Amino acid sequence: MKQIIGVHHAHEQHWVGDGFPVRTLFSYQSMGEELSPFLMLDYASPTRFPPATTAKGVGPHPHRGFETVTIVYEGELAHKDSAGNSGAIGPGDVQWMTAGAGILHEEMHSAKFTQQGGMLSMAQLWVNLPAAQKMTPPGYQAIEAEQIPTIQLENDQGTARLIAGDYAGLSGPANTRTAMQVWDLQIKKGAVISLPAPNHWNAALAVLQGEVETDKGLAGDASLIVFSRAGNGIEVSTSQDSHALFLSGEPIPEPMVGYGPFVMNTKAEITQAIDDFNGGQLGRLD
């Protein structure tokens, strides 16, 4: 089994735009190597928004060199990007966007959610691309909840939705550029579960809500458990009903340089990304 090498707690909340109060469980600045190919995870815990006449969210902004994965738990988001993709995702849905060579997009509360108000809860994961694919054309996968297979964990200890990766003859619908597993877990109180993660893959369990016991202390709401690369699989136990994201993936053994919404391999490539954005070469939103 992989060993737990750290438990991190995201206590501070900040706003992304005016629509998403999030806590950052990890980022490429702090754990880029330990969690490769994963770059960042923001979690917006359940928050009530009153009805409004103007949509809240994040207006047009750029990305280059990686992918964004948005998972909605409550509420509804509207997406629009410079590659011509648009649409809304609701509870259980996933939006997997490949920024690649560069894209502009906006993420807003949908018109319906804005008008009605209600609870909003979501997570956004950033996934790195290898150097050979950083300048790939932008892409977009709209994954509906019904497309995501759900499996029962052993001894009826909970469920796992396979967003990406394979298990028990089932495959998650996300088309990934490198080998990884992204599972959305609901784990019952008192469970002791084992999850597969190959030797030399990075692995982490993001506890969104609930409580997981470790030999390095309790991991409560908005906590991250980081495991060693060595060893096959992970094992954890819960002291409360828990909602978690299980992340494991084959590391990308390349230099990584990040600056805000751009993640490349060299400083020169970051400079080029900024110049391209300022020059309008990352497209436009109509």
Side-chain angles (χ1 to χ4, degrees):
M1 285 288 176
K2 296 180 181 293
Q3 301 300 306
I4 294 173
I5 59 175
V7 177
H8 308 271
H9 309 281
H11 296 299
E12 295 186 7
Q13 185 180 79
H14 65 278
W15 283 84
V16 176
D18 62 0
F20 308 108
V22 307
R23 283 178 281 181
T24 300
L25 275 69
F26 66 88
S27 68
Y28 59 77
Q29 292 98 333
S30 59
M31 298 186 197
E33 182 177 351
E34 293 92 333
L35 295 178
S36 175
F38 307 108
L39 296 170
M40 188 198 77
L41 178 63
D42 276 349
Y43 172 54
S45 56
T47 302
R48 182 170 295 280
F49 286 86
T53 56
T54 302
K56 298 181 182 297
V58 185
H61 59 282
H63 292 297
R64 172 179 280 181
F66 61 97
E67 301 180 296
T68 67
V69 182
T70 305
I71 309 167
V72 175
Y73 298 117
E74 296 178 272
E76 189 174 77
L77 303 183
H79 165 89
K80 184 178 181 181
D81 66 43
S82 56
N85 303 296
S86 63
I89 56 173
D93 296 340
V94 176
Q95 169 192 294
W96 196 296
M97 186 187 77
T98 302
I103 200 169
L104 293 181
H105 78 141
E106 63 179 21
E107 297 165 295
M108 310 293 292
H109 296 180
S110 72
K112 177 182 176 182
F113 183 80
T114 298
Q115 181 180 17
Q116 296 180 352
M119 298 297 292
L120 178 73
S121 178
M122 55 162 285
Q124 185 171 87
L125 175 70
W126 289 11
V127 178
N128 203 8
L129 289 171
Q133 299 187 49
K134 282 191 174 292
M135 296 299 286
T136 194
Y140 179 81
Q141 301 174 67
I143 303 171
E144 297 182 352
E146 303 78 54
Q147 297 174 261
I148 302 173
T150 299
I151 63 170
Q152 293 290 324
L153 300 178
E154 289 185 1
N155 301 317
D156 193 32
Q157 296 186 108
T159 61
R161 294 199 312 146
L162 308 186
I163 297 170
D166 305 314
Y167 185 70
L170 298 174
S171 298
N175 178 27
T176 68
R177 304 301 179 114
T178 59
M180 69 185 67
Q181 298 175 127
V182 179
W183 296 8
D184 190 33
L185 304 174
Q186 295 286 348
I187 314 170
K188 294 180 180 179
K189 177 181 178 180
V192 179
I193 64 168
S194 298
L195 302 173
N199 189 32
H200 299 310
W201 278 28
N202 285 327
L205 188 73
V207 182
L208 305 182
Q209 292 180 298
E211 194 171 77
V212 174
E213 299 173 336
T214 81
D215 58 4
K216 298 187 181 299
L218 293 174
D221 294 356
S223 294
L224 183 76
I225 306 169
V226 181
F227 296 86
S228 63
R229 285 189 183 179
N232 286 292
I234 70 167
E235 184 175 280
V236 295
S237 58
T238 56
S239 48
Q240 296 179 9
D241 288 347
S242 298
H243 179 196
L245 274 178
F246 172 50
L247 308 173
S248 65
E250 185 175 14
I252 299 174
E254 299 171 349
M256 182 183 65
V257 180
Y259 180 81
F262 307 124
V263 180
M264 302 300 289
N265 299 104
T266 67
K267 291 183 178 179
E269 290 172 335
I270 292 293
T271 300
Q272 186 64 56
I274 296 170
D275 290 346
D276 289 348
F277 168 59
N278 290 332
Q281 296 181 42
L282 270 61
R284 55 177 290 176
L285 286 178
D286 296 323

